[in-house]
Structure formats: structure tokens, C-alpha cells
Amino acid sequence: MFGAPHPVIASASRFLPLPRRPLDAAGASGQVRRWYENELGWPTVPGDPLRLVVGVRYDVLDVPAEAGHAALRRLAPGSPVALHGDRMLFLVAAGSAEELPGLLEWLDWGSLPLDLGAIGAGGLMAAPSRPAPREEGDAPLRGASPPSGRPGRAGSQGAAVWLRPPEPGCEVEASLPTLSALGAGGNAPGLVRLVNTVATQCHRVRLRRAGAQPPALRAQGRQCR
């Protein structure tokens, strides 16, 4: 009589989402660059990957992450600290890199290989990704403990991350370890105390690794010294 009913075909445009535009990597990098330059006042260099200019607002103390975790617990909250692979990067007062060799000698660490270095004027630091904005009620990030588990795991994929991020609107210099903070008041930790703690932990890590080597390799290492 009326024939078979015709099937109703819905328009695909009503149900299928529109294709998404690819993420603009340059735009994301630009946002992070503006955060560093405009909100923090930290100079960067052109190009990707994004890098920070060291020696203007701060220097960097570069230590093994395994040794840095112990030193991190001794720092007062406030000093920015980053993780990059298996290295921990402590931001310290500008000019500290020049003081480091003499400071290690004065602390009787100068003659030992500690795997401890510093980046000063003219150097560059890989820019850690911008920390996620905190929601209301979140615990402060500035005093956060390092991630648990294997040292350096948070930055093991190659990208630097903040363990203790800087605060926009705050002068970073006031929170950095410095020689002038030795025996002084305020929240800034002394550079001497930080370097001595890190050097001690670097030496312990070195001894532990040496003890884990087979006897033949340990004997070979003693002959080379």
C-alpha cells in the first residue's frame, strides 16, 4: 500500500565533531616565554627549546639529583629548585658560580671529584615548564617535598621541571642562597651551608657507587688515583 518505509539517514555533520586544529607548539612556547619574561622578569634567549639566561638574576648550582634531594630537605622554603633528568638545579645568588671553587677549597672539598658544578654569567639553563596554576585550597608548592621514588624520575624524560617553582611578583634575589646570608637573619639560606651539604652528599653518593662496583673495578680505580 504505502511501500516499505525509507530508512532515515542522519546527517554526519550533526553528530561528528569538527576536526581539531593541531596544537600550536610555537604558541605554547610563547606563553611560557612570556611567563618568564613578563611575570618573573627573567631574560631568555630566542629560539626553541626555551632557555633562560643565567648570571643576571641568579646563578645555578648543578648537582646529582640523588645528592640534591638530601640538601633540598635542609633548605628553607622559597628558593627555586628544578629537576632536569638526573640533575638537580639550585638557583643561587648571581656571582656564586665564581665563588664555588674557592668555597670548596675552604670547606676542604676542593681535592675530591664531587660531580658538582655551577653555571654563571654567560651560561644558559633549560627552562622548566610553567607550573600548573594552583586551585584554591591547594597546598603551597614552594615548600613541596621532592617527588618520591627514584631520584630524577620527574625529569627523566628530558624536560626540566620545577620542584620548587618561583613565584610571580616576588623578587627572586631575596630567596636565593648567598654568601652574605651566612650568619645573617631572614629566610635566605647561606650558600656555604648549601654547598657543604651538597658536597657531603655528593661524596657519599660517590662512595656508595664505588662500593657497588665489582672488586676488580674498585682496584683499578685505586690504581688510577
Side-chain angles (χ1 to χ4, degrees):
M1 296 171 55
F2 297 101
H6 295 283
V8 178
I9 301 176
S11 173
S13 61
R14 295 178 54 191
F15 299 98
L16 296 179
L18 295 175
R20 294 184 178 182
R21 296 179 59 186
L23 294 176
D24 186 355
S29 175
Q31 291 178 4
V32 177
R33 186 183 302 275
R34 287 191 292 273
W35 181 73
Y36 277 109
E37 293 183 347
N38 299 338
E39 297 190 33
L40 295 179
W42 294 8
T44 66
V45 295
D48 288 320
L50 181 60
R51 292 172 296 172
L52 306 175
V53 178
V54 179
V56 179
R57 304 286 304 273
Y58 52 83
D59 285 359
V60 176
L61 187 63
D62 182 350
V63 307
E66 189 175 355
H69 281 305
L72 186 63
R73 290 192 293 267
R74 295 176 177 268
L75 276 181
S79 298
V81 181
L83 191 68
H84 192 188
D86 60 354
R87 308 295 297 182
M88 192 171 291
L89 308 174
F90 292 84
L91 269 59
V92 294
S96 298
E98 293 184 18
E99 303 287 348
L100 182 61
L103 187 54
L104 289 172
E105 288 289 345
W106 184 70
L107 292 169
D108 293 331
W109 290 111
S111 60
L112 296 176
L114 296 175
D115 193 18
L116 167 64
I119 307 172
L124 299 174
M125 168 186 169
S129 56
R130 179 179 178 178
R134 288 187 309 226
E135 299 292 339
E136 186 176 355
D138 285 353
L141 293 173
R142 294 285 292 276
S145 299
S148 58
R150 183 179 178 182
R153 182 163 189 152
S156 61
Q157 300 303 316
V161 295
W162 285 113
L163 293 181
R164 291 184 177 180
E167 288 285 350
C170 298
E171 292 295 329
V172 69
E173 290 84 354
S175 68
L176 299 181
T178 174
L179 278 175
S180 61
L182 182 62
N187 295 325
L191 181 65
V192 174
R193 181 180 302 174
L194 173 62
V195 169
N196 190 48
T197 301
V198 169
T200 301
Q201 296 301 323
C202 286
H203 185 55
R204 289 175 178 173
V205 169
R206 176 175 171 271
L207 293 178
R208 184 162 56 248
R209 291 175 178 173
Q213 291 179 344
L217 290 180
R218 291 203 300 269
Q220 183 179 359
R222 286 194 297 267
Q223 293 173 1
C224 294
R225 290 198 296 267

